[in-house]
Amino acid sequence: MNKVALTNLDLDLYSETLENGLTIFVIPKQNCNNIYVTFTTKYGSIQNEFIPYGKEEMIKVPEGVAHFLEHKLFEQKDGVDPFTFFGKNGASSNASTSSYKTTYLFEGPSYFKENIEYLLDFVQDPYFTDENVEKEKGIIIQEIKMYQDNPFRMGYERSLFNTFQKNPIRYPVGGSEESVNSITKEDLYTCYETFYHPSNMFIVVTGNVNPEETIDIVRENQKKKNFKEAYPIEIKEYDEPNEVGKPKETLKMNVAIPKLMLNFKFNIEKMTMVEDKWLLTYLSVFADLKLGPTSTFQKELLDENLITEPLDFYVAYTKTHAVLMITAESKKTDIVEKKIKEEIGKDDILEEDFERKKKTLIASAIFASDNIYRMNNKVINDVLLLGYVNPDDYNRYRGMSFDTLKQIMDCLDYSYTSTVVIEPKNLD
């Protein structure tokens, strides 16, 4: 078992990788009365072209299989519903699928040993039949249709689809009605056997636990199970162009005020001055300084009544590109889009503003140390973005430099944009 102090946070990170490849991370917090456990596979919606376990040829599975798998693992052969099991043990349970991962979780202060063993057991014991797969299709399709009535969800999904041409990040995590209907029991087992091997998974425990006992529980649980030998997973690489797939699209939905989704697509292959996590941090700082709630630009838009609420932004990423996704609500979307495009390319960020933002990041990192959910999420993101858990975010934030930000900004090409505008339906 390894132990490392998390700098300036008064916390320790314990970790161990078992013989089967499963890695356990534990951050104990004795002054907390709750426990939060996540069990994550490095498998999300974008990994739909790969070489299956034990095979030699690359295959392509339907979009939405990762999300479908998440649903089906909650159906157990013995008929026990995991939600019911955790509920009886004073815990709540959930799961989520994103582009890069699928996470199963529970939280609750009681029956920790029983709950963590059950989490491991139900995720590691798939039960798929032709009948239960067909039954689930209707449930997932209803979920997809529900999202299609959500303007922000639809704007987000359409803008990613229009921004990318080849990378499967362009497809919704849940897939489409057509792709879900084409998923088979065999697809699920193929993906499960390839991506749910312990060597491609990790478990994170934060809260009021004993780290040695926690790791012992997981170790003993895994010893009782037989797993195939681990092997490297080969996933298709995509030659994604810098150009967007579709520069502009207008949707008609049930909205009172039009909504604008404006994406800037940046090639990041030359931005090797920092690791992925920190590149995303720099890009987020750049966007915040330009467009955030304390920016002069956002204040001007509000003062001129060009937007009805503050701008929102998010940085999506792949291995080759990052996308700055900006959302605005406005009756004059064309003017707001024009102004954002003019503003984003101005080289007017001041070093004192950058230093002020760094202090905010440091304060947020310290504040997060009191929150078992945020610390758990920090570990997950580090593993996915860095391949390890960085124990010194404090000094990494302190060490962020204005010169590095300027170097990254010099690499940004603002030529490649995609816009989705959602307008009110004509009710006449």
Side-chain angles (χ1 to χ4, degrees), residues 94-353:
N94 210 338
S96 65
T97 305
S98 69
S99 298
Y100 294 95
K101 69 174 178 66
T102 307
T103 296
Y104 303 84
L105 62 90
F106 76 85
E107 63 167 306
S110 307
Y111 301 100
F112 171 66
K113 182 177 185 294
E114 293 86 349
N115 286 339
I116 194 170
E117 286 191 328
Y118 188 78
L119 176 69
L120 290 162
D121 290 346
F122 93 77
V123 173
Q124 292 182 327
D125 186 22
Y127 173 61
F128 312 135
T129 67
D130 293 328
E131 292 75 20
N132 68 26
V133 168
E134 286 302 312
K135 181 188 69 175
E136 197 69 31
K137 289 179 180 180
I139 297 170
I140 293 176
I141 288 170
Q142 282 300 113
E143 186 178 319
I144 291 172
K145 290 179 177 179
M146 178 182 68
Y147 289 142
Q148 289 173 347
D149 288 331
N150 184 314
F152 285 105
R153 181 70 175 249
M154 280 300 297
Y156 174 83
E157 290 182 352
R158 290 303 301 176
S159 64
L160 270 183
F161 183 83
N162 293 346
T163 298
F164 286 92
Q165 297 192 49
K166 295 184 178 181
N167 193 295
I169 197 173
R170 70 197 300 256
Y171 299 112
V173 170
S176 64
E177 184 172 347
E178 180 182 7
S179 69
V180 169
N181 271 323
S182 70
I183 292 172
T184 66
K185 173 186 68 177
E186 289 72 26
D187 291 329
L188 298 182
Y189 274 119
T190 295
C191 293
Y192 184 90
E193 290 168 3
T194 301
F195 294 103
Y196 276 73
H197 191 277
S199 61
N200 196 50
M201 304 183 75
F202 58 98
I203 189 164
V204 185
V205 182
T206 50
N208 194 346
V209 296
N210 179 295
E212 291 86 358
E213 291 178 0
T214 298
I215 291 174
D216 283 344
I217 291 169
V218 177
R219 186 190 300 113
E220 291 305 310
N221 176 276
Q222 296 297 281
K223 280 182 180 179
K224 301 173 185 176
K225 301 172 182 177
N226 295 316
F227 299 97
K228 297 178 181 178
E229 186 177 347
Y231 84 111
I233 302 173
E234 187 173 338
I235 300 167
K236 182 174 179 177
E237 300 285 343
Y238 298 91
D239 184 19
E240 177 67 38
N242 293 331
E243 294 79 13
V244 301
K246 189 174 185 179
K248 191 153 190 173
E249 182 176 13
T250 300
L251 306 175
K252 299 284 188 178
M253 296 188 71
N254 289 323
V255 296
I257 301 172
K259 303 183 190 306
L260 167 72
M261 284 77 175
L262 172 60
N263 288 359
F264 290 89
K265 185 181 183 183
F266 302 124
N267 188 310
I268 61 174
E269 291 181 301
K270 294 182 180 179
M271 301 182 199
T272 57
M273 59 285 292
V274 290
E275 295 172 293
D276 286 355
K277 173 182 176 178
W278 303 103
L279 175 59
L280 292 175
T281 302
Y282 273 104
L283 289 173
S284 296
V285 168
F286 162 73
D288 198 10
L289 290 171
K290 277 289 185 181
L291 311 168
T294 61
S295 67
T296 301
F297 177 68
Q298 182 161 145
K299 184 176 185 303
E300 289 174 354
L301 292 181
L302 288 167
D303 288 346
E304 295 172 18
N305 293 318
L306 287 174
I307 55 176
T308 59
E309 56 184 34
L311 297 173
D312 195 12
F313 58 86
Y314 170 73
V315 180
Y317 70 96
T318 67
K319 288 183 177 180
T320 58
H321 292 81
V323 179
L324 173 57
M325 309 180 72
I326 304 164
T327 304
E329 188 175 81
S330 173
K331 295 180 179 179
K332 299 179 179 179
T333 55
D334 53 340
I335 295 176
V336 173
E337 178 182 353
K338 181 172 183 285
K339 283 183 172 290
I340 292 174
K341 288 181 175 179
E342 291 172 350
E343 175 65 24
I344 203 74
K346 292 179 182 176
D347 185 12
D348 58 357
I349 293 178
L350 301 177
E351 186 168 3
E352 53 262 38
D353 291 332

